[in-house]
């Protein structure tokens, strides 16, 4: 609960202070990396869905931007607050787009990664079954290490999706392979009595 609250406060503080140009630069940097890896496939797979998202979001966010500009008008209007609100709306729009883009990239890497994770799980399961009927001790230390690595991978995956800074595009396949390894380590070292 405390960790979730800390993450929420960190995300909210980042949202309050981050300039939209930083998020835009992160998005462009990651698109360039994915384009270097995938070539024209990046344009077909990711850019079309992102174009549709931007069109739908621009209609929704255009009204918010007009409301933010209206706050600065009139004798009682606060121009500084109006500009800050406008920049927060742009930052939200860009951040949601970056999260959506990273989810699309992750789905592209999960397609070949899911069979890898399934094979790792099955290998760990059958290794445990073989060890159940042999005189090989199960390692609770390795079991606990597998659980910890899995939590680190899940937290790293959530962090990668949410961070509004440039992150290397190859983090997604690395996290997928790490998830498969941690699952294998966890399942293969389950205690024999379970």
């Amino acid at each position: 609960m405390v960790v979730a609250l800390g993450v929420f406060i960190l995300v909210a503080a980042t949202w309050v202070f981050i300039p939209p140009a930083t998020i835009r630069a992160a998005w462009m940097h990651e698109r360039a990396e994915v384009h270097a890896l995938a070539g024209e496939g990046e344009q077909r797979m990711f850019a079309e869905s992102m174009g549709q998202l931007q069109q739908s979001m621009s209609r929704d966010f255009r009204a918010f931007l007009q409301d933010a500009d209206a706050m600065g008008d009139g004798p009682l209007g606060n121009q500084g607050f109006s500009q800050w609100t406008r920049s927060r709306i742009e930052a939200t729009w860009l951040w949601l787009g970056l999260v959506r883009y990273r989810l699309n990239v992750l789905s592209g890497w999960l397609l070949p990664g899911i069979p890898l994770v399934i094979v790792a799980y099955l290998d760990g399961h059958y290794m445990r079954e073989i060890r159940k009927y042999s005189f090989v001790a199960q390692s609770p230390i390795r079991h606990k290490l597998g659980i910890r690595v899995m939590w680190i991978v899940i937290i790293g995956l959530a962090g990668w999706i949410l961070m509004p800074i440039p992150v290397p595009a190859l983090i997604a396949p690395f996290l997928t392979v790490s998830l498969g390894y941690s699952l294998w380590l966890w399942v293969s070292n389950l205690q024999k009595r379970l």
Side-chain angles (χ1 to χ4, degrees):
M1 181 68 173
V2 174
V3 174
L5 183 62
V7 169
F8 175 76
I9 291 171
L10 181 66
V11 168
T14 303
W15 176 81
V16 168
F17 294 111
I18 193 162
T22 303
I23 302 173
R24 185 178 289 114
W27 196 350
M28 292 302 121
H29 181 264
E30 288 189 26
R31 277 203 65 196
E33 279 189 2
V34 173
H35 185 72
L37 290 171
E40 292 302 317
E42 187 269 343
Q43 185 69 22
R44 286 192 304 273
M45 185 170 182
F46 302 125
E48 290 176 7
S49 67
M50 294 314 298
Q52 294 169 358
L53 175 71
Q54 285 180 344
Q55 287 175 357
S56 67
M57 287 175 66
S58 66
R59 286 193 304 267
D60 298 335
F61 277 81
R62 193 173 296 127
F64 294 138
L65 290 172
Q66 290 170 352
D67 291 342
D69 289 338
M71 279 190 246
D73 296 339
L76 299 176
N78 187 343
Q79 196 66 24
F81 183 70
S82 174
Q83 290 174 353
W84 179 83
T85 305
R86 183 178 177 83
S87 71
R88 294 308 90 211
I89 292 169
E90 290 174 9
T92 303
W93 183 59
L94 290 168
W95 202 345
L96 289 174
L98 180 64
V99 167
R100 171 75 186 265
Y101 185 76
R102 286 179 177 168
L103 287 173
N104 281 344
V105 170
L106 181 64
S107 68
W109 284 108
L110 280 181
L111 188 62
I114 287 175
L116 173 79
V117 171
I118 291 172
V119 167
Y121 173 80
L122 289 175
D123 184 55
H125 173 72
Y126 288 121
M127 183 176 285
R128 178 180 176 267
E129 290 298 316
I130 291 169
R131 286 180 181 171
K132 275 170 59 174
Y133 302 104
S134 63
F135 295 105
V136 179
Q138 301 296 91
S139 174
I141 295 172
R142 287 184 182 169
H143 174 71
K144 194 174 270 191
L145 179 67
I147 293 172
R148 287 185 179 156
V149 170
M150 187 179 304
W151 275 109
I152 290 170
V153 169
I154 291 170
I155 290 168
L157 192 61
W160 170 67
I161 290 171
L162 289 177
M163 282 193 306
I165 57 173
V167 181
L170 290 177
I171 194 100
F174 172 75
L175 289 172
T176 304
V177 170
S178 299
L179 183 64
Y181 173 71
S182 67
L183 193 60
W184 173 82
L185 194 62
W186 172 58
V187 172
S188 66
N189 288 293
L190 281 170
Q191 296 301 306
K192 292 181 182 181
R193 67 179 181 273
L194 297 178

